[in-house]
Structures are given as structure tokens and as C-alpha cells.
């Protein structure tokens, strides 16, 4: 039908037009009048309105987080949940999206180490009372009849046989297992993706930086991370102590997430990240920096051993290459950020942060000393 070609070339200015209904009467009118280019502009406009031609609407699709700068589809790793149906809205000014995460990172790190200092003060203060309570408990156990096969007694025996580091990370492992179970609940998928995956293109930026540290979608991912954490727990707690370790671990999770944000904004490769790998890389880097001559081995290849210093160099080299080349299986920026923070903290941060906690502890001590005791009010 020749009129369709005329409408596209001369009459429609290169755009596609569609009739609202039928269109047979208009076709006969075109055949009688000849090509539209011979008609005047006014009559052309009249024919458009009379015959009911309209411009075909364009489909507008929201921008998704799985498109990079090149427009290629984001290849999802097996370690992250399926988020293809989740739409994110990146800010038109990407640098501004890093302002709130930066302040959250600095503020949370300060609060974590401040809370750890107060926690250590309270622990030291209660040790004397705990010592006398322990003597009393031992005396009561000696005169109390013992139950054979008591389950609670077996649990206490197992707990007491653990090292300080293993007892410290038991709570972390339990939290990771709990969050992993939440991922299996279908009705919680949207909530988990919103708050337990870190993504600079998401509307929620700050809380996922911490919550994603306890979040694993893959069982293998969680098992590998928790095994490494359990293996290095005794060494890192012996070096830093329980309170300082917890402050460093939580801060490392937030700092590694922020480094991941910076890399994603700089490269335009938006996508969700989750897992404790960034914080665990801090623990691993701190131990390897403090004990570089220690011997390590891979769980599946125990016959091959290597020094901790060489292992750290290899890990940093691999994550640097992955970040530059854009490997998508792991969040290499978070790994590298966690490792660099661990090296910095064990070399300089311990002296700059932890050893300067005395003013805060004095303020807390004065508040505790000057606070009224229970039952000391006047009648």
C-alpha cells in the first residue's frame, strides 16, 4: 500500500504514524488525491486530524542497577541473590551519593572503638567480682549432687575448652547463620535485598554497609568465610584482645563496603554486594602483617605450605588485578579495602586509636563514680 510509504517519507518526517481505527476511508481518500507531497500544509494537517493519525508512544523503562557504562547486562555472581527484578535509581550526581556513606563510616568507626574502650573498662572492673563469684560457684558445685549426662554441663564443658578468640567469634558466626536462614524465607526477599546487600544505586545506603557484613546468600560462601574467621580467631584476639578485635572487625565491614561504593561509583558498575569477606580480609591481613613468618596452608591442599607474608602479597595482587580488570565473581574492591585497613591498623592504627583511648575512659570513669548509687536517694 503506497500511502504508508508516503506517510513515512514525506508526510511523517521520517517517523511512524498509526491510525486510531480502521483507516480504510483515509486510504481511499489518498488514492483520489494523489501523493501527499502535492497537497498544501493546511490540508495535510486537516487530513491528519480528520483521519485520526497519532504518533506511536515510546516505552520508557527505568534504569536498573545491572547496566554498566557500556550498557551490557550485569553478569550476576552465584554468591549474590537474584536481583534482576529489583529496580534501583542511581543519583544523577554519583559523587554526592558517597557523602552520607563517608560520614557514616567515620562516625560508626569512632563509636565502635569508643564502645570497645568502655566495654574493656567495665570488663576489668567486674573481674574481681567475677573471681569471687567463681569461687562461690565452685564451692556450691562441690556440695551439690552431680547429674550424669547433664546436657547443660556438656555444653559448659565445650564452651570452657574454647579459646578466647573462638568464644568471641561464636556470636559472629551465629549471626551469619541466622541471616543466611532469613534469605531462605521468600516473603523476606525484598527486605533482605534492600537492607542486607550494599549497593550505591540503592535508596538505602548506610545501614546495609554494616548489615551486609553478616549476610550470605550462598552456603559455600558463608562456610568458607566462617572457616577462615574461626581459623584466625585465636591469633587475632591474642594480638588485640576481645574488645579491640570486635571494634576492628565491625569497622572493617563498614570501611570495606565504603571502598566498594567508591569503586562502583568511579567505574559505573553498579550491583549488590554482600558477605563478610571484607572484614575477614582485615583479620587475615592483620595477622599476616604481625606474624609474616607464620606458616599457612590451604584446607584442600594441606601438603603445600607458604608463609603468611607471601600469602598476603598474593591476595593483594589478585584483588588489585580483579578490581582493575573488572572481574565480577568477587567484590575485589571490598577485599582490597579490608586488607589495606588491616595492614594500616596493625601498623599504625593501634598506636593512633587504641592507645589514645585514656581520655574517654577517664570521662566514663568519672560519670560512673559520680552517678548516684541505687537506693541512695533521700526520703
Amino acid at each position: 500500500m503506497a500511502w504508508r510509504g508516503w506517510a513515512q517519507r514525506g508526510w511523517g518526517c521520517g517517523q511512524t504514524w498509526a491510525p486510531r481505527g480502521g483507516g480504510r476511508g483515509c486510504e481511499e481518500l489518498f488514492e483520489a488525491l494523489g501523493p501527499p507531497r502535492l497537497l498544501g500544509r493546511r490540508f495535510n494537517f486537516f487530513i491528519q486530524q480528520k483521519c485520526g493519525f497519532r504518533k506511536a508512544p515510546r516505552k520508557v523503562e527505568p534504569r536498573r542497577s545491572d547496566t554498566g557504562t557500556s550498557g551490557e547486562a550485569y553478569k550476576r555472581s552465584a554468591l549474590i541473590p537474584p536481583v534482576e527484578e529489583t529496580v534501583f535509581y542511581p543519583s544523577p550526581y554519583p559523587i554526592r551519593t558517597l557523602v552520607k556513606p563517608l560520614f557514616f563510616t567515620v562516625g560508626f568507626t569512632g563509636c565502635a572503638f569508643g564502645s570497645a574502650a568502655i566495654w574493656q573498662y567495665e570488663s576489668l572492673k567486674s573481674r574481681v567480682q567475677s573471681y569471687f563469684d567463681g569461687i562461690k560457684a565452685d564451692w556450691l558445685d562441690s556440695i551439690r549432687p552431680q547429674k550424669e549426662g547433664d546436657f547443660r554441663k556438656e555444653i559448659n564443658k565445650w564452651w570452657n575448652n574454647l579459646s578466647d578468640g573462638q568464644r568471641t567469634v561464636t556470636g559472629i558466626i551465629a549471626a551469619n547463620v541466622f541471616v543466611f536462614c532469613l534469605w531462605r524465607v521468600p516473603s523476606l526477599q525484598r527486605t533482605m535485598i534492600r537492607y542486607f546487600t550494599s549497593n550505591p544505586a540503592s535508596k538505602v545506603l548506610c545501614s546495609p554497609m554494616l548489615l551486609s557484613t553478616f549476610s550470605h546468600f550462598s552456603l559455600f560462601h558463608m562456610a568458607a568465610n566462617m572457616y577462615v574467621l574461626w581459623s584466625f580467631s585465636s591469633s587475632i584476639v591474642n594480638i588485640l584482645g576481645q574488645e579491640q578485635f570486635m571494634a576492628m572487625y565491625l569497622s572493617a565491614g563498614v570501611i570495606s563496603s565504603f571502598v566498594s561504593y567508591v569503586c562502583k561509583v568511579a567505574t559505573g558498575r553498579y550491583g549488590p554486594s554482600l558477605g563478610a569477606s571484607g572484614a575477614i580480609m582485615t583479620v587475615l591481613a592483620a595477622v599476616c602483617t604481625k606474624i609474616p613468618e607464620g606458616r599457612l596452608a590451604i584446607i584442600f591442599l594441606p601438603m603445600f605450605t607458604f608463609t603468611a607474608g607471601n600469602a598476603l602479597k598474593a591476595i593483594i595482587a589478585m584483588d588489585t588485578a580483579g578490581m582493575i580488570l573488572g572481574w565480577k565473581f568477587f567484590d575485589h574492591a571490598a577485599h582490597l579495602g579490608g586488607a589495606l585497613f588491616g595492614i594500616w591498623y596493625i601498623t599504625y592504627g593501634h598506636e593512633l586509636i587504641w592507645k589514645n583511648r585514656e581520655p574517654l575512659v577517664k570521662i566514663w570513669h568519672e560519670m560512673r563514680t559520680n552517678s548516684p548509687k541505687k537506693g541512695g536517694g533521700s526520703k
Side-chain angles (χ1 to χ4, degrees):
M1 302 219 259
W3 70 272
R4 295 179 185 265
W6 298 337
Q8 290 179 0
R9 289 195 299 272
W11 210 36
C13 300
Q15 296 178 342
T16 303
W17 300 81
R20 283 203 179 96
R24 181 61 184 171
C26 295
E27 183 179 353
E28 296 175 354
L29 181 62
F30 273 108
E31 292 177 355
L33 295 177
R37 64 175 179 272
L38 300 179
L39 302 178
R41 293 184 178 179
R42 295 182 180 179
F43 193 69
N44 285 347
F45 178 76
F46 171 76
I47 294 297
Q48 289 184 21
Q49 299 299 325
K50 189 69 176 178
C51 296
F53 287 96
R54 59 185 176 85
K55 189 175 180 180
R58 295 181 179 179
K59 295 182 179 180
V60 180
E61 297 182 356
R63 182 177 178 182
R64 295 179 180 271
S65 64
D66 56 358
T67 57
T69 55
S70 62
E72 297 179 356
Y74 180 83
K75 297 179 181 179
R76 184 175 67 88
S77 170
L79 304 182
I80 63 176
V83 293
E84 286 81 359
E85 299 300 326
T86 302
V87 179
F88 300 97
Y89 298 91
S91 171
Y93 306 99
I95 300 300
R96 295 184 182 180
T97 61
L98 299 175
V99 176
K100 289 176 63 177
L102 175 61
F103 281 102
F104 177 77
T105 301
V106 176
F108 180 83
T109 302
C111 292
F113 281 97
S115 301
I118 296 174
W119 178 17
Q120 187 186 58
Y121 168 84
E122 293 294 336
S123 298
L124 293 174
K125 187 176 181 180
S126 62
R127 280 185 181 179
V128 175
Q129 183 64 34
S130 298
Y131 173 76
F132 289 108
D133 290 343
I135 295 177
K136 182 179 179 181
D138 292 340
W139 179 75
L140 290 175
D141 289 339
S142 62
I143 62 175
R144 184 184 303 162
Q146 301 295 324
K147 297 181 180 180
E148 295 294 336
D150 190 359
F151 179 74
R152 183 177 179 182
K153 182 179 178 181
E154 295 297 326
I155 294 296
N156 291 333
K157 183 179 178 180
W158 170 81
W159 179 260
N160 293 329
N161 289 332
L162 297 178
S163 64
D164 292 338
Q166 292 172 339
R167 285 197 292 266
T168 302
V169 302
T170 299
I172 298 176
I173 296 175
N176 280 268
V177 173
F178 177 73
V179 175
F180 174 78
C181 294
L182 294 180
W183 275 109
R184 313 272 78 81
V185 182
S187 60
L188 296 178
Q189 290 296 305
R190 287 184 175 271
T191 302
M192 300 300 293
I193 292 173
R194 185 180 182 89
Y195 293 102
F196 286 85
T197 62
S198 60
N199 189 351
S202 176
K203 292 183 178 180
V204 182
L205 295 175
C206 295
S207 57
M209 297 174 69
L210 175 64
L211 297 178
S212 62
T213 307
F214 298 89
S215 179
H216 296 83
F217 183 77
S218 168
L219 178 60
F220 174 78
H221 188 200
M222 183 188 67
N225 280 342
M226 296 302 101
Y227 174 78
V228 175
L229 179 62
W230 182 269
S231 301
F232 284 87
S233 60
S234 299
S235 299
I236 192 63
V237 171
N238 288 337
I239 295 172
L240 299 178
Q242 182 181 20
E243 300 83 7
Q244 189 180 184
F245 160 73
M246 287 299 300
M248 187 192 72
Y249 183 86
L250 297 177
S251 300
V254 175
I255 291 173
S256 61
S257 296
F258 178 73
V259 175
S260 176
Y261 277 9
V262 173
C263 182
K264 290 175 182 177
V265 170
T267 59
R269 301 183 185 126
Y270 293 97
S273 298
L274 73 167
S277 303
I280 293 174
M281 284 297 299
T282 298
V283 174
L284 189 149
V287 174
C288 292
T289 303
K290 191 69 174 180
I291 316 173
E293 300 301 326
R295 305 297 298 183
L296 301 178
I298 302 176
I299 181 174
F300 301 109
L301 300 172
M303 68 290 298
F304 298 104
T305 61
F306 41 84
T307 63
N310 291 335
L312 181 59
K313 294 175 184 177
I315 291 173
I316 292 178
M318 183 187 67
D319 285 323
T320 303
M323 185 178 65
I324 296 174
L325 299 177
W327 297 345
K328 297 178 181 178
F329 191 73
F330 295 113
D331 191 343
H332 295 280
H335 289 191
L336 187 61
L340 294 179
F341 175 66
I343 296 172
W344 175 83
Y345 186 82
I346 207 68
T347 306
Y348 306 105
H350 177 74
E351 298 287 336
L352 295 175
I353 299 177
W354 191 249
K355 289 193 174 181
N356 291 323
R357 70 190 186 281
E358 185 176 354
L360 176 62
V361 175
K362 284 185 177 180
I363 294 174
W364 180 257
H365 174 73
E366 292 176 359
M367 291 174 58
R368 294 275 284 134
T369 304
N370 297 330
S371 61
K373 298 182 179 179
K374 295 182 180 180
S378 58
K379 295 182 180 180

